[in-house]
Amino acid sequence: MSWEEMFKGDFAADDVRAYGELIENLHGVQNALAALSMDREAIDDLSADLARWCERLEKSTTDEQHQVNGRVAELPVRGHAMLPDLHVTSRTTERVEGTVRFGRWFMGGGMAVHGGAVSLLFDEVLGILASLAAGGITRTAYLHTDYRALTPIDTELQAAAWIDRVEGRKWFVRGEIRHGDTVCAEGEGLFLRLLPEQGLGKRTTD
């Protein structure tokens, strides 16, 4: 099973394009909001608009198997609105590589990426590799992040993940985020391959 087949929804090409534009605009708003000064007019207007859109979107909610978010394989990070745009440039069952740019929305302070956002990126890129290698959907059992240097925002960074070892259904994966020759962070995770009955839309405790 390919990575796309694990999560791909059945969406028309024009719908994929439209949703991609929506995510791009959403991220643009998030980055602008993160850099916003105390502009009460803008804050009040945006708050009112968002309240209206919450009411509108509630009418279109659905279950996990039919939602769009995270199910559009043609888009970076499957069109998952919560994640930074990771563009995978190379992937095999042994190694995944890509580039990522964290916008202002992900800043913690000092023009550096929030540590939690770094771990969020590791969970994605390590998880991609684990699922590819395992040939099925995996779940994160643990994730450890070592911060080696500040991770800059608004900068193209390199991300990579590789298999460390395998023990039955347990896939141990390592990775790193680099800015040129500088290692910004290193990650290590354990991912469990889900059993056939543990698919999307189901909670699992194993």
Side-chain angles (χ1 to χ4, degrees):
M1 179 183 294
S2 70
W3 173 249
E4 289 86 354
E5 291 171 336
M6 293 179 203
F7 294 97
K8 183 176 176 59
D10 186 18
F11 306 117
D14 189 58
D15 291 339
V16 169
R17 177 199 57 76
Y19 187 73
E21 290 182 359
L22 170 61
I23 295 300
E24 184 177 349
N25 287 328
L26 173 62
H27 289 174
V29 169
Q30 289 175 322
N31 288 327
L33 176 61
L36 182 67
S37 63
M38 183 50 73
D39 182 338
R40 272 300 303 275
E41 182 178 1
I43 290 170
D44 291 343
D45 287 348
L46 179 58
S47 181
D49 286 343
L50 290 175
R52 286 192 292 270
W53 272 109
C54 284
E55 183 177 355
R56 166 65 178 83
L57 292 176
E58 286 176 356
K59 301 175 182 178
S60 300
T61 58
T62 186
D63 57 25
E64 182 180 1
Q65 289 92 331
H66 298 94
Q67 71 181 38
V68 182
N69 188 48
R71 301 295 308 284
V72 188
E74 298 87 345
L75 298 177
V77 293
R78 310 176 311 286
H80 202 305
M82 180 183 67
L83 301 173
D85 283 346
L86 169 70
H87 295 264
V88 175
T89 56
S90 174
R91 62 185 177 194
T92 68
T93 56
E94 297 293 331
R95 186 179 179 90
V96 167
E97 296 180 350
T99 61
V100 63
R101 180 183 295 268
F102 292 90
R104 184 73 172 265
W105 178 254
F106 293 103
M107 186 180 77
M111 302 304 286
V113 178
H114 192 290
V118 172
S119 290
L120 179 65
L121 190 279
F122 274 135
D123 197 33
E124 177 66 13
V125 67
L126 270 61
I128 290 175
L129 177 57
S131 292
L132 279 171
I137 299 173
T138 59
R139 187 176 297 280
T140 312
Y142 78 72
L143 181 66
H144 177 83
T145 303
D146 289 313
Y147 302 95
R148 303 302 187 191
L150 293 180
T151 303
I153 64 167
D154 294 328
T155 302
E156 185 172 274
L157 307 169
Q158 297 75 45
W162 57 90
I163 300 295
D164 185 29
R165 66 186 189 279
V166 180
E167 298 176 3
R169 291 173 53 213
K170 298 179 179 180
W171 296 78
F172 296 84
V173 188
R174 302 184 67 87
E176 65 179 14
I177 299 173
R178 285 180 171 268
H179 178 210
D181 294 331
T182 301
V183 176
C184 301
E186 295 176 317
E188 175 191 2
L190 166 60
F191 295 80
L192 297 178
R193 189 186 192 282
L194 297 186
L195 298 172
E197 64 270 21
Q198 299 171 324
L200 295 176
K202 301 176 183 177
R203 294 186 184 274
T204 58
T205 56
D206 184 14

